[in-house]
């Protein structure tokens, strides 16, 4: 059993709920709501496993999760219009909606949309920040660090290596990463296999490697607040 | 490139065919072939400026157009840029020595907190190809770094680049500081970077937002022409 500590609750990552979702599905298609709760989370597919883990650990049966394709990470201009569509689609079916995207490269567009549509969103510039805790992340001022989360470690080739053409043209590596110094793996769960992969990613990128266990950080806090107020 | 291209001997091509082949080689990011082509044209008494504009800039313009139209993607553009860089390295000292025409001067840099420079480097290279003198400040530039460079270099244009939504607001800090110091209108300010748009450029008080390197070059040329015309009118 693969386990992680969430608060005082141990999470079972081998349960049916987790096993039947593939990373490819989350990357390309996202995730449809699994049940009929009364409130809805609209989130990035890259956060699906983490959010489901928190929901399960807390027994929040009143919360449903809809994820948009995680690959929007590489096309942030798609995020705001797709979130708008999803809110419109579900607004009548749920009493409350919470957006589990940070700014994520939308340049404030997503916040403006949320204000316009009367929904709340998680705070922070991106998931690297809220996983670590927004205050701590801001204080670090690590402008030469490249971050990976659990999902991005697993999807490193699909999200970075191949779209950047590095599988075909490794000579471009320093043009992309020449100004970076360190790959920071922000781990949400303790998984030795992922650590090994992340370290290998750093080697391929020509960067130093740092492991940082974050758990769910401000994600957990924000979901708890939403659940309480929902 | 197809296999048949392996048999092409660049030195045996006439000028027209050689330039056409160099366009293909740039498109395919073949740095060594571009360097060889540049040397052949120079050996045929082409002026360095002519090699630059007709062979290299001409080829990169095709690359830029295909990138804009979604035919080429970032990796291919980077390979082409790398090939052009090889040719430029040969031409640059010769261009200086031969006193090639200079269209204007630009100070360019990525803003504070941002280390991304791929777009900025492309703009700098294409601007150089168009006859601009480029002073590249590199990455992570503070207001002071920009102001010192402006004071030292007295450019016509200031270019600022950012890739992150968290760093692009810093462009406004630079422009506002220039306004405070009463020097804003002495320079044309161009801004660019993936998360920017025209609306943002206007909102922060830049003269123009440039969505890619080709647009940056054309915009810079337009502003230089306007400046030239104004000077002629006021003379």
């Amino acid at each position: 059993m693969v386990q992680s500590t969430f608060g005082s609750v141990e999470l079972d990552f081998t349960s049916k709920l987790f096993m039947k979702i593939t990373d490819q599905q989350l990357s390309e298609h996202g995730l449809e709501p699994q049940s009929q709760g009364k409130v809805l989370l609209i989130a990035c597919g890259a956060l699906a496993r983490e959010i489901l883990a928190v929901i399960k650990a807390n027994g929040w049966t009143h919360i449903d999760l809809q994820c948009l394709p995680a690959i929007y990470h590489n096309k942030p201009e798609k995020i705001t219009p797709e979130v708008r569509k999803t809110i419109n689609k579900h607004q009548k079916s749920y009493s409350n909606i919470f957006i589990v995207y940070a700014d994520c490269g939308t340049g404030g567009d997503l916040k403006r949309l949320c204000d316009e549509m009367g929904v709340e969103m998680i705070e922070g510039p991106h998931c690297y920040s809220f996983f670590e805790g927004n205050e701590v992340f801001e204080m670090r001022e690590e402008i030469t660090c490249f971050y990976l989360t659990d999902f991005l470690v697993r999807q490193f080739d699909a999200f970075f290596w191949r779209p950047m053409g590095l599988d075909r043209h490794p000579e471009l590596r320093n043009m992309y990463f020449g100004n970076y110094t360190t790959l920071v793996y922000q781990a949400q769960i303790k998984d030795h296999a992922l650590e090994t992969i992340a370290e290998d990613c750093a080697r391929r990128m020509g960067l130093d490697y740092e492991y940082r266990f974050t758990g769910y950080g401000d994600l957990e806090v924000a979901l708890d607040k939403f659940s309480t107020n929902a | 490139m197809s296999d048949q291209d392996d048999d092409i001997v660049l030195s045996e091509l006439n000028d027209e065919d050689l330039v056409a082949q160099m366009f293909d080689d740039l498109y395919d990011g073949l740095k060594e072939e571009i360097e060889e082509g540049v040397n052949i044209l120079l050996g045929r008494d082409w002026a360095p400026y002519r090699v630059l504009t007709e062979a290299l800039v001409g080829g990169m313009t095709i690359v830029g157009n295909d990138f804009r139209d979604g035919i080429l993607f970032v990796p291919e553009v980077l390979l082409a840029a790398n090939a052009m860089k090889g040719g430029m390295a040969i031409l640059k000292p010769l261009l200086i020595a031969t006193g090639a025409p200079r269209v204007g001067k630009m100070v360019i840099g990525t803003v504070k907190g941002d280390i991304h420079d791929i777009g900025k480097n492309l703009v700098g290279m294409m601007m150089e190809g168009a006859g601009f003198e480029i002073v590249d400040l590199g990455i992570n530039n503070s207001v002071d770094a920009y102001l010192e460079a402006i004071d030292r270099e007295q450019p016509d244009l200031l270019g600022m680049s950012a890739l992150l939504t968290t760093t692009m607001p810093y462009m406004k800090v630079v422009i506002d500081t220039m306004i405070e110091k009463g020097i804003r209108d002495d320079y044309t300010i161009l801004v660019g970077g993936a998360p920017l748009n025209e609306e943002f450029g206007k909102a922060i008080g830049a003269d123009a937002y440039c969505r890619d390197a080709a647009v940056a070059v054309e915009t810079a040329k337009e502003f230089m022409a306007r400046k030239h015309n104004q000077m002629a009118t006021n003379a």
Side-chain angles (χ1 to χ4, degrees), chain B residues 1-30:
Chain B
M1 294 297 287
S2 59
D3 291 342
Q4 66 181 19
D5 293 321
D6 293 342
D7 300 322
I8 291 173
V9 179
L10 295 180
S11 60
E12 291 176 358
L13 300 176
N14 65 36
D15 288 1
E16 190 181 343
D17 289 345
L18 176 56
V19 169
Q21 184 59 42
M22 287 174 73
F23 282 11
D24 282 351
D25 290 344
L26 256 180
Y27 201 90
D28 293 336
L30 303 176

Side-chain angles (χ1 to χ4, degrees), chain A residues 103 105-107 125-126 143-144 163-165 168-169 171-172 175-176 179-180, chain B residues 74-76 78-79 81-82 113-118 139-140 165-166 168 195:
Chain A
D103 181 72
T106 65
H126 36 62
I143 67 168
T144 61
M164 287 176 157
R168 290 158 283 139
H169 304 291
E171 70 273 22
L172 295 178
M175 289 178 87
Y176 285 120
N179 294 329
Y180 285 95
Chain B
V74 171
E76 289 77 26
L78 289 184
L79 287 168
N82 199 38
D114 205 321
I115 61 167
H116 300 93
D117 60 2
I118 287 175
I139 57 173
N140 190 26
T165 52
T166 49
M168 65 188 208

Side-chain angles (χ1 to χ4, degrees), chain B residues 5 30 85 93 105-106 135 139 167 169-170 190 204 211:
Chain B
D5 293 321
L30 303 176
K85 201 172 166 187
K105 186 174 185 180
M106 183 186 213
V135 179
I139 57 173
T167 58
Y170 196 78
L190 307 182
I204 63 168
R211 74 163 184 271

Side-chain angles (χ1 to χ4, degrees), chain B residues 36-200:
Chain B
E36 186 185 347
V38 166
N39 283 323
I40 291 168
L41 290 173
L42 290 171
R44 292 178 187 174
D45 291 331
W46 276 44
Y49 186 69
R50 187 180 171 204
V51 178
L52 175 67
T53 53
E54 292 186 26
L56 298 188
V57 174
M60 275 306 281
T61 301
I62 297 169
V63 171
N65 290 343
D66 280 4
F67 176 66
R68 180 196 62 204
D69 296 339
I71 298 164
L72 287 181
F73 297 95
V74 171
E76 289 77 26
V77 175
L78 289 184
L79 287 168
N82 199 38
M84 179 164 170
K85 201 172 166 187
M88 287 284 282
I90 299 168
L91 292 174
K92 217 169 169 179
L94 302 175
L95 288 165
I96 294 167
T98 54
R102 208 191 81 176
V103 180
K105 186 174 185 180
M106 183 186 213
V107 163
I108 189 169
T110 303
V111 297
K112 189 178 176 184
D114 205 321
I115 61 167
H116 300 93
D117 60 2
I118 287 175
K120 171 188 69 66
N121 293 344
L122 274 173
V123 169
M125 194 169 65
M126 290 302 283
M127 292 283 286
E128 275 187 328
F132 285 86
E133 183 184 349
I134 295 296
V135 179
D136 189 342
L137 305 181
I139 57 173
N140 190 26
N141 285 289
S142 65
V143 172
D144 288 345
Y146 282 113
L147 293 184
E148 280 168 23
I150 286 170
D151 187 49
R152 185 179 66 241
E153 302 292 342
Q154 291 299 306
D156 304 292
L157 307 114
L158 170 65
M160 290 189 283
S161 170
L163 182 73
L164 306 175
T165 52
T166 49
T167 58
M168 65 188 208
Y170 196 78
M171 293 175 176
K172 187 171 187 309
V173 175
V174 177
I175 294 174
D176 286 349
T177 308
M178 291 173 73
I179 292 170
E180 279 171 28
K181 292 188 175 294
I183 58 170
R184 163 64 186 90
D185 293 335
D186 298 341
Y187 308 95
T188 297
I189 301 178
L190 307 182
V191 295
L196 279 68
N197 56 34
E198 201 162 336
E199 190 186 359
F200 176 81

